[in-house]
Amino acid sequence: LSWVAAFVLGTVIGSFLNVCIYRLPREESVVDPPSHCPVCDMRIRWYDNLPIAAWVLLRGRCRDCRTPFSIRYPLIELAAGAFAVLATWRFGVSPEAVLAFGFCCCMLVVVFTDFDAKIIPDEMVIAGVVLGLLATQVHVSTWTRMLTGAAVGFGVLWAIREIYYRLTGREGMGFGDCTLALAMGSVLGATGVMMTFFLASLAGTLIGLA
């Protein structure tokens, strides 16, 4: 039952993440105005905002102007629901699960805002650091682990960025990547953020070769 509740809650939050992904790069408020069609500007009714189900029932179109909505919307809601279930399965109903799910939500927003607009919203970096701070308050982490992780995350990417620039005279990495690594390190710790760098590099290499 807790997994079902986690999935439903996760999809609802995933719906809000879609709003963040669309509005944050445009520097728009994520709460006002309420959800509306970007083409006809009609406000989306509450029952058309039901995660996943509404997109399926409307066949991925606006009820009023029939503008197609990307399938990415329900997929992000589904991903958020899956992350909520995974967090609950791994940590049970606990502060650890909430923190893990919150971190996954931040990363979902970062992935798609970076893909769409090539930016990493400062709001997500701040949220990551806040999650790191909260972890120390509920005894999931320690101040030493948080600060060390943040320093290692930021320092490693900043060093790579600087070395590349000095060798080539070009920027090979945005400063936002460094601040994102700081946020990741504050949550994951030094070991976790270094493992993230390794897995990301490996995945990037495999995708590049493919």
Side-chain angles (χ1 to χ4, degrees):
L1 183 60
S2 61
W3 290 5
V4 173
F7 180 78
V8 172
L9 179 60
T11 60
V12 171
I13 294 175
S15 182
F16 176 68
L17 298 183
N18 277 317
V19 175
C20 295
I21 291 166
Y22 181 83
R23 296 190 186 186
L24 287 179
R26 294 169 174 79
E27 298 184 352
E28 299 176 358
S29 168
V30 297
V31 294
D32 185 56
S35 297
H36 59 280
C37 174
V39 176
C40 69
D41 208 35
M42 286 294 292
R43 181 171 177 176
I44 296 177
R45 301 158 182 83
W46 69 266
Y47 46 82
D48 289 338
N49 249 335
L50 295 174
I52 304 174
W55 191 93
V56 173
L57 293 173
L58 291 171
R59 298 182 181 179
R61 294 180 179 275
C62 171
R63 181 182 293 276
D64 297 289
C65 68
R66 308 307 295 168
T67 295
F69 291 153
S70 172
I71 194 174
R72 198 171 79 179
Y73 290 111
L75 290 179
I76 289 174
E77 292 166 351
L78 181 63
F83 282 136
V85 171
L86 286 172
T88 305
W89 170 75
R90 175 64 179 82
F91 299 108
V93 180
S94 64
E96 290 95 330
V98 174
L99 292 169
F101 175 63
F103 181 70
C104 289
C105 288
C106 289
M107 295 302 104
L108 263 180
V109 173
V110 167
V111 165
F112 288 101
T113 54
D114 194 22
F115 181 81
D116 289 342
K118 302 296 185 291
I119 66 168
I120 296 173
D122 291 336
E123 291 87 347
M124 293 300 102
V125 173
I126 294 170
V129 174
V130 169
L131 287 173
L133 289 170
L134 289 174
T136 65
Q137 298 305 302
V138 296
H139 307 295
V140 173
S141 181
T142 63
W143 282 98
T144 300
R145 180 177 181 273
M146 177 204 163
L147 294 174
T148 303
V152 169
F154 179 85
V156 168
L157 286 200
W158 181 84
I160 293 172
R161 180 175 183 267
E162 283 297 302
I163 291 170
Y164 183 87
Y165 178 76
R166 294 183 184 280
L167 290 176
T168 66
R170 294 174 297 152
E171 286 194 1
M173 183 188 302
F175 190 73
D177 294 295
C178 301
T179 57
L180 175 63
L182 182 151
M184 290 192 300
S186 69
V187 175
L188 301 175
T191 303
V193 77
M194 290 303 294
M195 179 60 72
T196 300
F197 292 157
F198 170 75
L199 293 175
S201 300
L202 178 62
T205 300
L206 294 176
I207 292 169
L209 290 174

